[in-house]
Amino acid sequence: MEKRLQKIISVFLMLILLPMFAQDVSQERMVRFALWASLEAFPGVETVEKNAFALPVRKIKEVTPLILSGMVYGWNFVYVPYDKARGVPEYFEFTPVHELSESELKTVNYAKPWIKDSILNCWVEYRRSDAQVHVYKGWASVLHPRIKGEGYAQLSDGFEGIQAACSEALKLAVRNYERKWIKSKPKEISGTVFMSEPPKIGVDAGRYKVTLDFFMETAKIVEYKTF
């Protein structure tokens, strides 16, 4: 009975997530990464009701544009390092280079959903256009620095938590690069990053843990002229 229920749940999830099982999963042509959402808001899932999965499905689809934008078009960032002596607070902001259009988002596939430990998981798949493949090859072929960072946020914050964890991961990646290669602390550094690997989104000590890898292109470094 339990196996039959699990099978019914899997079929149901396939229908509401509209999966297409892609054969090409190379990151050059096919963007592919895993996302998940908790089912704990619906304890003891015993019946196959659409509303029992509506929230986790919506949460997965809410996160997708943020991650995809970093993998398909990249993110711009502005970073002002903290400077105690000058009384300058730390500031960091990132924004997508381009927002994905509605037509692009409609081509996203949510594939092979599965449930484990009250967590709904699935693969997010997006086929790059020829122009987007060209962008990817441009980043991968040029000798851009590779940076990496980890960010954390509260699980209770939902989408905003993942966004905050992504922001922290990118900020730390940029900061570590700045400390290693820039001799004097800059007033401001800005640039663009492009995800070089699929993101890793997990849980650590009751918090979101997001690990991100990027190619980085520095646009501008503003130095302090005087102390």
Side-chain angles (χ1 to χ4, degrees):
M1 182 65 180
E2 183 176 346
K3 290 183 178 180
R4 181 172 178 272
L5 177 59
Q6 192 68 25
K7 184 177 180 179
I8 293 172
I9 290 173
S10 296
V11 171
F12 171 75
L13 289 172
M14 288 179 188
L15 291 174
I16 63 174
L17 286 169
L18 301 177
M20 291 178 62
F21 301 101
Q23 298 300 314
D24 176 12
V25 294
S26 69
Q27 291 295 320
E28 179 178 308
R29 175 60 69 173
M30 178 68 73
V31 176
R32 191 172 192 256
F33 58 94
L35 283 182
W36 57 269
S38 175
L39 289 168
E40 289 185 355
F42 310 97
V45 179
E46 298 177 355
T47 60
V48 186
E49 297 287 340
K50 183 175 182 179
N51 62 359
F53 298 98
L55 180 59
V57 167
R58 179 161 55 83
K59 292 299 182 183
I60 288 173
K61 291 186 175 183
E62 191 176 37
V63 173
T64 295
L66 172 69
I67 302 300
L68 267 184
S69 66
M71 299 187 74
V72 175
Y73 293 116
W75 295 336
N76 293 320
F77 70 87
V78 176
Y79 175 47
V80 176
Y82 169 69
D83 193 311
K84 183 178 180 180
R86 295 183 173 91
V88 177
E90 183 181 68
Y91 172 80
F92 185 82
E93 180 183 43
F94 79 99
T95 55
V97 172
H98 294 294
E99 299 278 0
L100 274 81
S101 67
E102 288 297 323
S103 59
E104 287 173 326
L105 289 174
K106 286 180 180 178
T107 67
V108 175
N109 301 321
Y110 297 91
K112 301 181 180 179
W114 73 97
I115 296 173
K116 182 178 180 181
D117 299 329
S118 297
I119 299 293
L120 171 62
N121 305 265
C122 75
W123 290 102
V124 178
E125 299 177 344
Y126 174 80
R127 186 174 291 276
R128 300 182 201 263
S129 67
D130 290 341
Q132 291 166 350
V133 169
H134 181 73
V135 172
Y136 173 86
K137 288 182 176 180
W139 279 98
S141 62
V142 179
L143 296 179
H144 290 106
R146 297 285 293 271
I147 62 175
K148 179 177 181 178
E150 292 181 351
Y152 297 85
Q154 296 299 315
L155 289 172
S156 59
D157 290 340
F159 169 75
E160 288 76 16
I162 292 181
Q163 188 175 34
C166 287
S167 180
E168 182 181 27
L170 176 53
K171 181 189 73 175
L172 292 179
V174 172
R175 187 173 72 182
N176 290 339
Y177 174 82
E178 172 257 316
R179 288 178 172 177
K180 185 176 181 180
W181 297 106
I182 303 175
K183 293 181 180 180
S184 301
K185 181 180 291 187
K187 181 179 181 180
E188 180 182 299
I189 179 171
S190 60
T192 305
V193 293
F194 187 93
M195 280 195 209
S196 56
E197 301 288 342
K200 299 179 180 65
I201 303 175
V203 177
D204 181 40
R207 300 175 297 168
Y208 285 117
K209 177 183 178 181
V210 177
T211 304
L212 301 177
D213 296 79
F214 302 98
F215 298 110
M216 175 179 170
E217 181 176 82
T218 302
K220 182 172 62 175
I221 298 175
V222 180
E223 299 181 349
Y224 287 102
K225 294 182 179 180
T226 61
F227 189 87

